[in-house]
Amino acid sequence: MNIELSLVLGFEVDTINSVQFSNHTGYQHFKGQVLNDTQLGDLLEGLVSNGLDCYTHLLTGYIGSPSFLHKVKSVVQHLKTINPNLIYVCDPVMGDNGKMYVPAELLPVYQEEIVPLADIITPNQYEADLSVRLLSGQKIASKEDAGAVMEWFHGRGVKTVVLSSTDLGAEEELVVLASSISNGTKDKFNTHIPRLPVNFTGTGDLFAALLLAWTHRTNSDIKRSVEATLSTMQAILQRTLTEARREAGDGKPLTVRHLELKLVQSLEDIRNPVSRLPPPPS
Ligand code: ATP
Ligand code: MG
Ligand code: MG
């Protein structure tokens, strides 16, 4: 998914599929292969041999084993020695809605080894909770708690923290919070978006990929980046839901199949998200 998006927004992308599955794991069954750390090392070695290891950005998402995550750490470190300005966007995929869906041993590896290398991090509320529990033993229950967890990430060197969704607003809303440090100044803000009454799969990946693209395109203007990202997200998800209801037929239950994200149908919303902000000063 990230690759098509990035091409539309003008990025050339090399993709490493850490898994290759028949379908996403929201379906009842899936079959396929999982890349291991040695195989990841082989791919990097091939790039290095040809001098192809110079990248402007690196984005990582779901990683299912500590050995693979360790290898990712060495890949990030290597790519940062080749391009010290490389921006590493880490989506620390560990769980959602109170449940961890990776082995528990991944948490300390993220916290101690990966987070200090990340420039931008995009945890959802549960993933942010996992960190705040270290601080206070509590879950995130307020915007102040969310602020504290964003500070925790800043304290480890992460310049931009975006909590991709939280339940800190009204019932029918999602709240997205962001905090970003550039040139010594901190920019913080939050925004409330309507919560659609279904569970989508792949929204976290889409969010991280869009945010990467828009931080680059807005020269790290975090407010505009999150705005553009959410504008595209809302358009895609609304279209997905409308089409799913149409495909299922009046009032019938929606299946995982119906709710596959309507990306191709949304190219214009990816290219030109409608902004609710005034234009930037020229
Ligand atoms: P995933 O469940 O795919 O791993 P995630 O938990 O990492 O995703 P979320 O924070 O749930 O990511 O979602 C990312 C973005 O997707 C949110 O900022 C929001 O814009 C959009 N989104 C996801 N689900 C909904 C929903 N039900 N209604 C409205 N927007 C949604
Ligand atoms: Mg979620
Ligand atoms: Mg996520």
Side-chain angles (χ1 to χ4, degrees), residues 164-185:
S164 61
S165 69
T166 69
D167 61 10
L168 301 173
E171 190 141 345
E172 69 287 0
E173 288 178 335
L174 293 173
V175 183
V176 178
L177 298 101
S179 177
S180 185
I181 299 174
S182 75
N183 303 322
T185 45

Side-chain angles (χ1 to χ4, degrees), residues 91 93 122 124 127 164 204:
D91 187 11
V93 180
T122 58
N124 61 26
E127 291 149 357
S164 61

Side-chain angles (χ1 to χ4, degrees), residues 47-63:
L47 292 169
V48 172
S49 313
N50 290 304
L52 296 174
D53 49 348
C54 189
Y55 290 94
T56 58
H57 296 79
L58 175 71
L59 171 62
T60 61
Y62 176 83
I63 291 164

Side-chain angles (χ1 to χ4, degrees), residues 91-97 101 122-127 162-166 172-176 193-208 226 229-234 237-238 241 261:
D91 187 11
V93 180
M94 286 184 279
D96 209 351
N97 303 316
Y101 43 57
T122 58
N124 61 26
Q125 181 167 3
Y126 175 70
E127 291 149 357
V162 182
L163 304 190
S164 61
S165 69
T166 69
E172 69 287 0
E173 288 178 335
L174 293 173
V175 183
V176 178
I193 57 173
R195 183 203 296 257
L196 300 172
V198 282
N199 285 324
F200 299 98
T201 300
T203 48
D205 289 348
L206 185 56
F207 184 91
V226 172
T229 299
L230 291 176
S231 173
T232 297
M233 292 293 315
Q234 284 176 268
L237 298 186
Q238 189 55 65
L241 183 56
L261 301 180

Side-chain angles (χ1 to χ4, degrees), residues 3-224:
I3 187 161
E4 293 92 344
L5 264 179
S6 309
L7 290 171
V8 169
L9 290 173
F11 290 76
E12 275 186 71
V13 183
D14 291 339
T15 309
I16 293 179
N17 291 318
S18 55
V19 296
Q20 169 161 287
F21 288 159
S22 52
N23 45 265
H24 72 65
T25 54
Y27 287 89
Q28 207 171 358
H29 308 283
F30 61 93
K31 299 259 311 175
Q33 299 83 39
V34 178
L35 197 76
N36 66 33
D37 55 320
T38 311
Q39 293 162 329
L40 173 61
D42 287 345
L43 294 175
L44 182 68
E45 209 178 298
L47 292 169
V48 172
S49 313
N50 290 304
L52 296 174
D53 49 348
C54 189
Y55 290 94
T56 58
H57 296 79
L58 175 71
L59 171 62
T60 61
Y62 176 83
I63 291 164
S65 77
S67 59
F68 196 87
L69 194 54
H70 276 298
K71 194 69 186 181
V72 166
K73 176 190 176 187
S74 67
V75 171
V76 182
Q77 285 173 323
H78 173 80
L79 296 181
K80 284 200 173 195
T81 61
I82 301 298
N83 176 12
N85 296 321
L86 176 137
I87 292 169
Y88 172 36
V89 182
C90 175
D91 187 11
V93 180
M94 286 184 279
D96 209 351
N97 303 316
K99 273 216 201 91
M100 200 151 179
Y101 43 57
V102 298
E105 307 87 76
L106 280 179
L107 178 61
V109 186
Y110 271 114
Q111 287 177 330
E112 287 153 31
E113 302 184 33
I114 300 292
V115 167
L117 292 171
D119 298 283
I120 301 178
I121 197 154
T122 58
N124 61 26
Q125 181 167 3
Y126 175 70
E127 291 149 357
D129 260 349
L130 291 172
S131 307
V132 90
R133 263 179 236 178
L134 293 180
L135 296 175
S136 62
Q138 305 283 319
K139 289 185 178 183
I140 297 174
S142 65
K143 287 183 182 163
E144 290 67 43
D145 293 347
V149 79
M150 293 194 285
E151 284 306 317
W152 182 88
F153 283 110
H154 286 321
R156 270 145 196 82
V158 186
K159 291 183 263 320
T160 300
V161 186
V162 182
L163 304 190
S164 61
S165 69
T166 69
D167 61 10
L168 301 173
E171 190 141 345
E172 69 287 0
E173 288 178 335
L174 293 173
V175 183
V176 178
L177 298 101
S179 177
S180 185
I181 299 174
S182 75
N183 303 322
T185 45
K186 195 180 291 169
D187 231 345
K188 269 173 131 60
F189 78 100
N190 62 71
T191 178
H192 294 229
I193 57 173
R195 183 203 296 257
L196 300 172
V198 282
N199 285 324
F200 299 98
T201 300
T203 48
D205 289 348
L206 185 56
F207 184 91
L210 288 169
L211 188 71
L212 183 159
W214 286 105
T215 49
H216 180 71
R217 286 185 145 205
T218 63
N219 201 12
S220 300
D221 181 329
I222 185 63
K223 195 163 183 195
R224 282 183 191 285

